[in-house]
Amino acid sequence: MGNRGKAIRLIVAGLGLSLLPAIAAADEACRDDQITLRGDWGQARFTIELADDAGERAQGLMHRESMARSAGMLFVYDSPRTVRFWMKNTLIPLDMIFADETGTVRHIHRMAEPESEDMIYGGNNIQFILEINGGMADALNIGKGSEMRHPAIATDDAAWPC
């Protein structure tokens, strides 16, 4: 916990209140192994693996028989581009959340079919793709316009900066 968090904890303790979960959340807001999404539906945090080079992006979540409910993979490109994915050798259904360079969700492909070779078009000017378990986007009501927060989305124009 940073010095600011410790000072707030001491002040709060003096008032007989407990804000430790809020302080911990603030200190952990931006970690490489987590991504947070927010929108008018609320917020959700996923523990993620990063796929930020060509080899990792090509491998993705292939050959996995399961994934924890709160887990996912964040695909990071160096710059915005037109993206297409497929599910060849991917054994579990996935929701694919496509975001632009600001981390704003532009498209969601829900319940991608395992092992399908059909191309999934994510859109133009996409820089980040979050893959989560199929059905989670609907369960959480994640929609277009939602914002992602992660250290990789570190531009001056980030919709929700770290």
Side-chain angles (χ1 to χ4, degrees), residues 34-52:
Q34 294 185 348
I35 189 166
T36 306
L37 286 87
R38 72 175 180 187
D40 57 7
W41 49 271
Q43 289 188 13
R45 178 175 290 162
F46 295 90
T47 300
I48 57 160
E49 297 174 55
L50 276 178
D52 59 0

PDB file of all heavy atoms in Angstrom, residues 34-52:
ATOM      1  N   GLN A  34      -4.432  -7.755 -14.341  1.00  0.00           N
ATOM      2  CA  GLN A  34      -5.865  -7.511 -14.163  1.00  0.00           C
ATOM      3  C   GLN A  34      -6.350  -6.436 -15.120  1.00  0.00           C
ATOM      4  O   GLN A  34      -5.599  -5.533 -15.481  1.00  0.00           O
ATOM      5  CB  GLN A  34      -6.171  -7.062 -12.733  1.00  0.00           C
ATOM      6  CG  GLN A  34      -5.916  -8.134 -11.709  1.00  0.00           C
ATOM      7  CD  GLN A  34      -6.337  -7.700 -10.312  1.00  0.00           C
ATOM      8  OE1 GLN A  34      -6.615  -6.535 -10.061  1.00  0.00           O
ATOM      9  NE2 GLN A  34      -6.375  -8.654  -9.402  1.00  0.00           N
ATOM     10  N   ILE A  35      -7.608  -6.551 -15.503  1.00  0.00           N
ATOM     11  CA  ILE A  35      -8.257  -5.511 -16.293  1.00  0.00           C
ATOM     12  C   ILE A  35      -9.603  -5.229 -15.649  1.00  0.00           C
ATOM     13  O   ILE A  35     -10.259  -6.144 -15.140  1.00  0.00           O
ATOM     14  CB  ILE A  35      -8.417  -5.919 -17.774  1.00  0.00           C
ATOM     15  CG1 ILE A  35      -8.891  -4.720 -18.604  1.00  0.00           C
ATOM     16  CG2 ILE A  35      -9.336  -7.108 -17.930  1.00  0.00           C
ATOM     17  CD1 ILE A  35      -8.751  -4.907 -20.101  1.00  0.00           C
ATOM     18  N   THR A  36      -9.974  -3.961 -15.642  1.00  0.00           N
ATOM     19  CA  THR A  36     -11.267  -3.559 -15.112  1.00  0.00           C
ATOM     20  C   THR A  36     -12.065  -2.924 -16.232  1.00  0.00           C
ATOM     21  O   THR A  36     -11.526  -2.177 -17.050  1.00  0.00           O
ATOM     22  CB  THR A  36     -11.088  -2.557 -13.952  1.00  0.00           C
ATOM     23  OG1 THR A  36     -10.198  -3.128 -12.982  1.00  0.00           O
ATOM     24  CG2 THR A  36     -12.410  -2.255 -13.281  1.00  0.00           C
ATOM     25  N   LEU A  37     -13.338  -3.251 -16.284  1.00  0.00           N
ATOM     26  CA  LEU A  37     -14.264  -2.641 -17.231  1.00  0.00           C
ATOM     27  C   LEU A  37     -15.326  -1.907 -16.443  1.00  0.00           C
ATOM     28  O   LEU A  37     -15.704  -2.342 -15.347  1.00  0.00           O
ATOM     29  CB  LEU A  37     -14.937  -3.694 -18.111  1.00  0.00           C
ATOM     30  CG  LEU A  37     -14.063  -4.315 -19.189  1.00  0.00           C
ATOM     31  CD1 LEU A  37     -13.300  -5.487 -18.657  1.00  0.00           C
ATOM     32  CD2 LEU A  37     -14.905  -4.729 -20.355  1.00  0.00           C
ATOM     33  N   ARG A  38     -15.801  -0.789 -17.010  1.00  0.00           N
ATOM     34  CA  ARG A  38     -16.888  -0.058 -16.373  1.00  0.00           C
ATOM     35  C   ARG A  38     -17.849   0.460 -17.433  1.00  0.00           C
ATOM     36  O   ARG A  38     -17.492   0.634 -18.602  1.00  0.00           O
ATOM     37  CB  ARG A  38     -16.363   1.101 -15.536  1.00  0.00           C
ATOM     38  CG  ARG A  38     -15.837   2.269 -16.361  1.00  0.00           C
ATOM     39  CD  ARG A  38     -15.438   3.440 -15.495  1.00  0.00           C
ATOM     40  NE  ARG A  38     -14.941   4.532 -16.338  1.00  0.00           N
ATOM     41  CZ  ARG A  38     -14.395   5.630 -15.871  1.00  0.00           C
ATOM     42  NH1 ARG A  38     -14.254   5.801 -14.565  1.00  0.00           N
ATOM     43  NH2 ARG A  38     -13.986   6.576 -16.698  1.00  0.00           N
ATOM     44  N   GLY A  39     -19.052   0.691 -17.008  1.00  0.00           N
ATOM     45  CA  GLY A  39     -20.080   1.249 -17.879  1.00  0.00           C
ATOM     46  C   GLY A  39     -21.287   1.589 -17.045  1.00  0.00           C
ATOM     47  O   GLY A  39     -21.248   1.486 -15.804  1.00  0.00           O
ATOM     48  N   ASP A  40     -22.387   1.945 -17.692  1.00  0.00           N
ATOM     49  CA  ASP A  40     -23.586   2.260 -16.937  1.00  0.00           C
ATOM     50  C   ASP A  40     -24.153   1.024 -16.238  1.00  0.00           C
ATOM     51  O   ASP A  40     -25.023   1.116 -15.391  1.00  0.00           O
ATOM     52  CB  ASP A  40     -24.638   2.929 -17.822  1.00  0.00           C
ATOM     53  CG  ASP A  40     -25.034   2.098 -19.022  1.00  0.00           C
ATOM     54  OD1 ASP A  40     -24.607   0.935 -19.142  1.00  0.00           O
ATOM     55  OD2 ASP A  40     -25.791   2.624 -19.861  1.00  0.00           O
ATOM     56  N   TRP A  41     -23.630  -0.125 -16.551  1.00  0.00           N
ATOM     57  CA  TRP A  41     -24.019  -1.403 -15.946  1.00  0.00           C
ATOM     58  C   TRP A  41     -23.268  -1.675 -14.638  1.00  0.00           C
ATOM     59  O   TRP A  41     -23.612  -2.575 -13.889  1.00  0.00           O
ATOM     60  CB  TRP A  41     -23.763  -2.545 -16.934  1.00  0.00           C
ATOM     61  CG  TRP A  41     -22.381  -2.500 -17.536  1.00  0.00           C
ATOM     62  CD1 TRP A  41     -22.013  -1.841 -18.668  1.00  0.00           C
ATOM     63  CD2 TRP A  41     -21.183  -3.065 -17.014  1.00  0.00           C
ATOM     64  NE1 TRP A  41     -20.661  -1.982 -18.887  1.00  0.00           N
ATOM     65  CE2 TRP A  41     -20.128  -2.738 -17.891  1.00  0.00           C
ATOM     66  CE3 TRP A  41     -20.903  -3.845 -15.904  1.00  0.00           C
ATOM     67  CZ2 TRP A  41     -18.813  -3.141 -17.675  1.00  0.00           C
ATOM     68  CZ3 TRP A  41     -19.601  -4.253 -15.682  1.00  0.00           C
ATOM     69  CH2 TRP A  41     -18.572  -3.898 -16.568  1.00  0.00           C
ATOM     70  N   GLY A  42     -22.162  -0.947 -14.364  1.00  0.00           N
ATOM     71  CA  GLY A  42     -21.339  -1.169 -13.173  1.00  0.00           C
ATOM     72  C   GLY A  42     -19.892  -1.395 -13.552  1.00  0.00           C
ATOM     73  O   GLY A  42     -19.415  -0.839 -14.543  1.00  0.00           O
ATOM     74  N   GLN A  43     -19.196  -2.221 -12.763  1.00  0.00           N
ATOM     75  CA  GLN A  43     -17.793  -2.534 -13.023  1.00  0.00           C
ATOM     76  C   GLN A  43     -17.554  -4.028 -12.884  1.00  0.00           C
ATOM     77  O   GLN A  43     -18.254  -4.717 -12.132  1.00  0.00           O
ATOM     78  CB  GLN A  43     -16.875  -1.826 -12.023  1.00  0.00           C
ATOM     79  CG  GLN A  43     -16.773  -0.351 -12.205  1.00  0.00           C
ATOM     80  CD  GLN A  43     -15.708   0.265 -11.304  1.00  0.00           C
ATOM     81  OE1 GLN A  43     -14.885  -0.421 -10.707  1.00  0.00           O
ATOM     82  NE2 GLN A  43     -15.723   1.579 -11.204  1.00  0.00           N
ATOM     83  N   ALA A  44     -16.520  -4.508 -13.573  1.00  0.00           N
ATOM     84  CA  ALA A  44     -16.095  -5.902 -13.451  1.00  0.00           C
ATOM     85  C   ALA A  44     -14.580  -5.956 -13.602  1.00  0.00           C
ATOM     86  O   ALA A  44     -14.001  -5.204 -14.383  1.00  0.00           O
ATOM     87  CB  ALA A  44     -16.755  -6.774 -14.516  1.00  0.00           C
ATOM     88  N   ARG A  45     -13.954  -6.832 -12.848  1.00  0.00           N
ATOM     89  CA  ARG A  45     -12.506  -7.022 -12.918  1.00  0.00           C
ATOM     90  C   ARG A  45     -12.219  -8.485 -13.258  1.00  0.00           C
ATOM     91  O   ARG A  45     -12.834  -9.389 -12.728  1.00  0.00           O
ATOM     92  CB  ARG A  45     -11.851  -6.656 -11.583  1.00  0.00           C
ATOM     93  CG  ARG A  45     -10.337  -6.905 -11.616  1.00  0.00           C
ATOM     94  CD  ARG A  45      -9.658  -6.438 -10.365  1.00  0.00           C
ATOM     95  NE  ARG A  45      -9.711  -4.988 -10.375  1.00  0.00           N
ATOM     96  CZ  ARG A  45      -9.527  -4.235  -9.295  1.00  0.00           C
ATOM     97  NH1 ARG A  45      -9.291  -4.781  -8.138  1.00  0.00           N
ATOM     98  NH2 ARG A  45      -9.574  -2.924  -9.386  1.00  0.00           N
ATOM     99  N   PHE A  46     -11.270  -8.665 -14.182  1.00  0.00           N
ATOM    100  CA  PHE A  46     -10.846 -10.002 -14.587  1.00  0.00           C
ATOM    101  C   PHE A  46      -9.354 -10.139 -14.373  1.00  0.00           C
ATOM    102  O   PHE A  46      -8.594  -9.204 -14.635  1.00  0.00           O
ATOM    103  CB  PHE A  46     -11.156 -10.234 -16.075  1.00  0.00           C
ATOM    104  CG  PHE A  46     -12.618 -10.242 -16.392  1.00  0.00           C
ATOM    105  CD1 PHE A  46     -13.271  -9.076 -16.738  1.00  0.00           C
ATOM    106  CD2 PHE A  46     -13.339 -11.419 -16.336  1.00  0.00           C
ATOM    107  CE1 PHE A  46     -14.622  -9.063 -17.023  1.00  0.00           C
ATOM    108  CE2 PHE A  46     -14.690 -11.427 -16.624  1.00  0.00           C
ATOM    109  CZ  PHE A  46     -15.336 -10.242 -16.964  1.00  0.00           C
ATOM    110  N   THR A  47      -8.926 -11.301 -13.931  1.00  0.00           N
ATOM    111  CA  THR A  47      -7.510 -11.641 -13.889  1.00  0.00           C
ATOM    112  C   THR A  47      -7.167 -12.138 -15.281  1.00  0.00           C
ATOM    113  O   THR A  47      -7.861 -13.001 -15.820  1.00  0.00           O
ATOM    114  CB  THR A  47      -7.244 -12.734 -12.839  1.00  0.00           C
ATOM    115  OG1 THR A  47      -7.660 -12.232 -11.564  1.00  0.00           O
ATOM    116  CG2 THR A  47      -5.773 -13.110 -12.796  1.00  0.00           C
ATOM    117  N   ILE A  48      -6.107 -11.568 -15.855  1.00  0.00           N
ATOM    118  CA  ILE A  48      -5.832 -11.846 -17.266  1.00  0.00           C
ATOM    119  C   ILE A  48      -4.404 -12.306 -17.515  1.00  0.00           C
ATOM    120  O   ILE A  48      -3.506 -12.073 -16.717  1.00  0.00           O
ATOM    121  CB  ILE A  48      -6.089 -10.597 -18.138  1.00  0.00           C
ATOM    122  CG1 ILE A  48      -5.234  -9.422 -17.640  1.00  0.00           C
ATOM    123  CG2 ILE A  48      -7.552 -10.251 -18.183  1.00  0.00           C
ATOM    124  CD1 ILE A  48      -5.040  -8.336 -18.658  1.00  0.00           C
ATOM    125  N   GLU A  49      -4.253 -12.922 -18.656  1.00  0.00           N
ATOM    126  CA  GLU A  49      -2.947 -13.161 -19.259  1.00  0.00           C
ATOM    127  C   GLU A  49      -2.838 -12.158 -20.400  1.00  0.00           C
ATOM    128  O   GLU A  49      -3.828 -11.844 -21.054  1.00  0.00           O
ATOM    129  CB  GLU A  49      -2.860 -14.574 -19.816  1.00  0.00           C
ATOM    130  CG  GLU A  49      -2.979 -15.656 -18.759  1.00  0.00           C
ATOM    131  CD  GLU A  49      -3.022 -17.029 -19.401  1.00  0.00           C
ATOM    132  OE1 GLU A  49      -2.093 -17.353 -20.183  1.00  0.00           O
ATOM    133  OE2 GLU A  49      -4.002 -17.751 -19.160  1.00  0.00           O
ATOM    134  N   LEU A  50      -1.633 -11.667 -20.628  1.00  0.00           N
ATOM    135  CA  LEU A  50      -1.397 -10.735 -21.729  1.00  0.00           C
ATOM    136  C   LEU A  50      -0.907 -11.479 -22.960  1.00  0.00           C
ATOM    137  O   LEU A  50      -0.059 -12.363 -22.855  1.00  0.00           O
ATOM    138  CB  LEU A  50      -0.335  -9.701 -21.356  1.00  0.00           C
ATOM    139  CG  LEU A  50      -0.781  -8.481 -20.583  1.00  0.00           C
ATOM    140  CD1 LEU A  50       0.425  -7.605 -20.265  1.00  0.00           C
ATOM    141  CD2 LEU A  50      -1.820  -7.690 -21.333  1.00  0.00           C
ATOM    142  N   ALA A  51      -1.422 -11.105 -24.095  1.00  0.00           N
ATOM    143  CA  ALA A  51      -0.934 -11.597 -25.380  1.00  0.00           C
ATOM    144  C   ALA A  51      -0.513 -10.345 -26.148  1.00  0.00           C
ATOM    145  O   ALA A  51      -1.322  -9.720 -26.834  1.00  0.00           O
ATOM    146  CB  ALA A  51      -2.024 -12.365 -26.111  1.00  0.00           C
ATOM    147  N   ASP A  52       0.753  -9.950 -25.966  1.00  0.00           N
ATOM    148  CA  ASP A  52       1.190  -8.671 -26.535  1.00  0.00           C
ATOM    149  C   ASP A  52       2.323  -8.805 -27.542  1.00  0.00           C
ATOM    150  O   ASP A  52       2.957  -7.822 -27.895  1.00  0.00           O
ATOM    151  CB  ASP A  52       1.546  -7.672 -25.431  1.00  0.00           C
ATOM    152  CG  ASP A  52       2.641  -8.160 -24.510  1.00  0.00           C
ATOM    153  OD1 ASP A  52       3.143  -9.285 -24.702  1.00  0.00           O
ATOM    154  OD2 ASP A  52       2.979  -7.412 -23.578  1.00  0.00           O
TER     155      ASP A  52
END
